[in-house]
């Protein structure tokens, strides 16, 4: 049995090695992807480094925050009387 345990959670079993990035790197990649602005070299680097589960989680969190920001903006505009004309 390996030191990492029977499940091989040390990342050596995965193609390309372990995918270790900081939450900030994942958030930055998802943020720029929301705008559709990514350099090809950055995209290729992200594919090699980012954990897909972290990207999905960051994408869901980003989408929820975006929707909440829109809801708050609409409530503010309606409450301020700007929409009344």
């Amino acid at each position: 049995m390996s030191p990492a345990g029977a499940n091989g959670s040390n990342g050596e079993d995965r193609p390309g090695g372990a995918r270790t990035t900081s939450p900030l790197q994942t958030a930055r990649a998802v943020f720029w992807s929301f705008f559709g602005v990514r350099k090809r070299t950055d995209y290729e680097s992200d594919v090699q480094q980012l954990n897909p589960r972290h990207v999905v989680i960051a994408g869901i969190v980003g989408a929820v925050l975006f929707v909440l920001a829109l809801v708050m903006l609409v409530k503010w505009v309606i409450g301020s009387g700007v929409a009344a004309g």
Side-chain angles (χ1 to χ4, degrees):
M1 191 178 325
S2 68
N7 63 0
S9 62
N10 62 357
E12 293 176 1
D13 298 338
R14 288 188 228 156
R19 294 181 177 196
T20 56
T21 56
S22 71
L24 181 62
Q25 288 172 310
T26 302
R28 188 178 322 143
V30 170
F31 174 77
W32 285 115
S33 296
F34 269 42
F35 290 109
V37 180
R38 295 292 291 160
K39 290 188 217 173
R40 183 150 184 87
T41 55
D42 290 340
Y43 168 76
E44 290 170 357
S45 172
D46 289 345
V47 168
Q48 294 296 321
Q49 295 177 353
L50 295 176
N51 185 333
R53 284 186 217 140
H54 296 164
V55 172
V56 169
I57 291 169
I60 291 170
V61 168
V64 167
L65 290 174
F66 179 71
V67 169
L68 289 175
L70 288 177
V71 168
M72 289 174 48
L73 177 67
V74 168
K75 285 187 177 202
W76 174 75
V77 167
I78 291 173
S80 68
V82 174

